[in-house]
Amino acid sequence: MLQPEGPADLVLTGGHVHTVDSGRPRAEAVAIRGERVVAVGSAAEVAGLAGPRTRVIDLAGRLVLPGFQDAHVHPIFAGVDRLQCDLRDGRGRTGVLEIVRRFVAAHPNDRWIIGSGWSMADFPNGTPRREDLDAIVADRPAFFPNRDGHSTWVNTNALELAGIDRDTPDPADGRIERDPDGTPTGTLHEGAGHLVERLMPEVTADLMTDGLRIAQAYLHSLGITGWQDAIVRPEDQAIYRAAAEAGWLTARVEAAMWWDRERGDDQVDELIERSRTGSYGPFRVNSVKLMQDGVLETYTGAMIEPYLGADGAPSEKRGISFIDPERLPGWVTRLDAAGLQPHFHAIGDRAVRECLDAVAAARSANGHTDTRPHIAHIQVIHPDDVPRFAALDVVANAQALWAAHEDQMDVLTIPFLGPERTTWQYPFGSLLRSGARLAMGSDWSVSTPDPLQAIHVAVTRTAATPDDPTVRAPRKDPFLPEQAISLTDAIRAYTLGSAFVNHRDDDTGSIAAGKLADLAILDRDVLAPGAEPVSLARVIGTFVGGASVFEDPSLG
Ligand SMILES: [Zn+2]
C-alpha cells in the first residue's frame, strides 16, 4: 500500500521484509515517514517515496522484522547486576570464585560485597557453601543470588549479621540449606534470602538509573524495541518515569507492578493509583505481577503431585503456593475489574492451575475484559489445563530458551519430576495447536535476553549455543521435539504476541502502513530455504518509531 504525500524520511530496500502481517506477509522494502511506516511493498513500489533528503538503506538481501518485544524481563535489575559483581561469565566453581576474588580486591572499601549470577550446575547439589566465600571475604557480608534469583549464596559474616544459625526456623516462604546437624551451609532458598537482603544497603537511584541505561542499550542491540518489566516496585517506576520525562527512554515499556504477597486487598487501591498517574510517553503502568510459586530446582515450584526424592519415590514436597490459592481468585477478579492486567509467574502444574482458576473466576465475575492476563514461565502444565489457555483467553508467556536438555534440566529437574511429568514441560506446540495465544520473553537477567537464541530453542528444542559458557548442554538430542514450533510462529510470538500482551498490537508488533516503525534488521534472511540455524544470525540495526537506536557499522 502506498501513501503518496511527500517523500519518506527513511527507506529500507533491496532485502526481505517479514511483516508478521497476514495482509502482506513478505515484501522487499519499507518506507517510513516520521514515526510511522507509510509503505510496505516491492522495491519498485517504494522507490517513488525516496526524495533528496531521504535516507536510503540498501538491505543487500538481509531481513527486516518487526522489533522484538520481551514480554517478561528485568532490565533495571539486570543492568545493576552488570555494574556489581557479575558471576555470569564464570565457568565452574573455580572460575566463579576467581571473579569474586578479583571483585573483592578491586573494591576494598565497599561495606558489602554484592553480586549475582552463579549457576546451580557449578556446585555440588546446586548449593555453594559459605566457606568458599569466607576464604575470600570474611570481614564483610557477601551476598550473591543465583542466576534465576531463587537461591542466594552468602558468607558466614552475612549469616551472623542476620542472626541465622542452626536454631533459626525456615521462613514460611523459603528454606535454609543446612548440614545434617542443622548448621546453615551458606545457601538460602527463596524467602530465606530476604533475612539477609533486608539488611543490605539500598541500591541507590543513581545506580538503578545507570542500570536502566546500559540495559536499554543492550536490549536495543538485540533488536528489542519494547518490553514488559516483570517486577516494578514504586522505586523502579520512579526511575522509568524520570527516564521517560528526560526523553532518553527510547523503548516502549509496560510496567508490571509487584504484588506484595505479605499484604492483601489493601494494596489494590495503591496499584490503581500508581497505574492512573504513572504513565508518561513510552512508559505505561497497567499490569500487576503475581508470583505464584518458586522453581522446580529448589522444590519451591508448586506441584499437584509430590516431587520425587533421590530414591525415585514420592517425597513430602509439593512446593509452595506463594499467594494463598483461596484468596487469589478474589484478588485477580478485583484487579481485572479495575482494568489492571494480571501477569502471573507460574512454574509448577499446581501454580499454573491456580492462576487459570483465578482468571476463570475473574471471567465469570467481570465477563471478558481486555486486561489480557498472561502466565509467564509455564514450565509444567497438566495436560488437562493446556486447552484452558485458549478457552479463558490467557496468553502463554514462554521463556523458550529453557526448553532444552542442559544440566539444570537433566540433573536438577527431570529426576525429581519423573518420566510422565517430564513430558509436560514447556508444551508450546500443544498450546498453539489448542488455539492459545503465545508471547515470548527472556526473564533476563536469569537468561540471555537475545531473542534469536530463544527462538532457536523454540524451533529446535536444542540449546542454542553449546559453546556459550552460560549454557551447559551435555546432550544434543532435542527435548520433546513434538513441542517444537515453526520459525514463523516463534517470530510471531516474540513480536505480535508480546505486543498483544503489552496492549500495543494496534500500533506495533507487525510491519504495515500506518503502524509505528519499530523494526529489527538481521544480517541474513533466516527464513530462506536452507538457511543456517537462526541462533547464528545477529541484529545489525534497530529502529523505534523510525528513529535509529542501534546500528552496526555493517548496516551501511
Ligand atoms: Zn522474572
Side-chain angles (χ1 to χ4, degrees), residues 80-402:
V80 169
D81 282 351
R82 294 196 139 205
L83 297 166
Q84 294 179 325
C85 183
D86 189 347
L87 304 177
R88 284 169 188 76
D89 291 334
R91 297 187 89 143
R93 171 176 161 273
T94 324
V96 167
L97 289 171
E98 183 52 36
I99 294 176
V100 177
R101 192 169 289 116
R102 271 187 270 123
F103 187 90
V104 168
H107 294 80
N109 299 320
D110 290 9
R111 285 197 297 121
W112 284 64
I113 295 298
I114 299 168
S116 64
W118 54 275
S119 165
M120 296 182 82
D122 281 330
F123 297 91
N125 305 316
T127 57
R129 295 191 59 95
R130 60 194 163 87
E131 293 87 347
D132 274 346
L133 284 176
D134 294 346
I136 300 169
V137 51
D139 58 333
R140 298 171 271 170
F143 182 89
F144 288 90
N146 72 337
R147 197 163 290 170
D148 65 26
H150 294 271
S151 300
T152 303
W153 178 24
V154 296
N155 64 357
T156 302
N157 190 297
L159 289 169
E160 285 172 353
L161 195 68
I164 301 172
D165 58 27
R166 55 191 296 178
D167 301 321
T168 308
D170 287 346
D173 61 347
R175 192 162 57 80
I176 299 165
E177 192 75 31
R178 301 170 195 269
D179 283 328
D181 70 351
T183 307
T185 65
T187 300
L188 306 170
H189 300 295
E190 301 295 344
H194 299 312
L195 300 174
V196 176
E197 192 173 12
R198 64 195 163 90
L199 305 171
M200 273 170 35
E202 294 257 313
V203 176
T204 64
D206 283 349
L207 183 59
M208 291 166 70
T209 300
D210 289 347
L212 176 58
R213 208 186 290 274
I214 66 164
Q216 175 175 261
Y218 183 49
L219 293 172
H220 282 332
S221 79
L222 299 172
I224 294 165
T225 54
W227 62 76
Q228 183 159 148
D229 188 317
I231 298 181
V232 176
R233 304 159 300 171
E235 55 268 39
D236 305 300
Q237 187 167 335
I239 300 296
Y240 275 116
R241 171 82 187 217
E245 286 178 354
W248 63 263
L249 185 70
T250 42
R252 305 185 200 282
V253 178
E254 178 65 67
M257 297 176 283
W258 177 247
W259 176 270
D260 183 345
R261 55 191 188 239
E262 260 116 61
R263 297 172 61 189
D265 251 328
D266 57 309
Q267 65 192 301
V268 174
D269 286 340
E270 283 169 37
L271 297 174
I272 292 171
E273 184 62 13
R274 281 173 60 192
S275 170
R276 202 179 62 74
T277 59
S279 301
Y280 187 96
F283 179 59
R284 294 182 185 170
V285 187
N286 295 311
S287 188
V288 177
K289 168 72 173 302
L290 300 132
M291 187 160 167
Q292 189 52 17
D293 69 345
V295 294
L296 303 182
E297 293 85 347
T298 60
Y299 317 113
T300 51
M303 298 299 295
I304 297 168
E305 300 294 333
Y307 290 92
L308 305 184
D311 58 357
S315 71
E316 297 288 292
K317 299 180 184 128
R318 289 170 195 259
I320 306 172
S321 295
F322 286 161
I323 302 175
D324 180 354
E326 300 291 312
R327 309 191 69 181
L328 184 67
W331 291 339
V332 168
T333 299
R334 243 198 105 185
L335 294 172
D336 179 64
L340 295 175
Q341 171 184 73
H343 173 166
F344 300 98
H345 161 123
I347 292 267
D349 56 4
R350 192 178 82 234
V352 171
R353 180 168 289 178
E354 288 165 356
C355 296
L356 290 168
D357 289 347
V359 175
R363 294 288 194 226
S364 70
N366 303 334
H368 196 121
T369 61
D370 192 38
T371 60
R372 307 182 183 184
H374 53 120
I375 307 180
H377 309 329
I378 48 173
Q379 180 162 354
V380 185
I381 306 181
H382 191 285
D384 292 350
D385 289 325
V386 168
R388 299 179 70 201
F389 282 80
L392 292 165
D393 199 13
V394 172
V395 183
N397 184 342
Q399 283 62 63
L401 194 85
W402 306 340

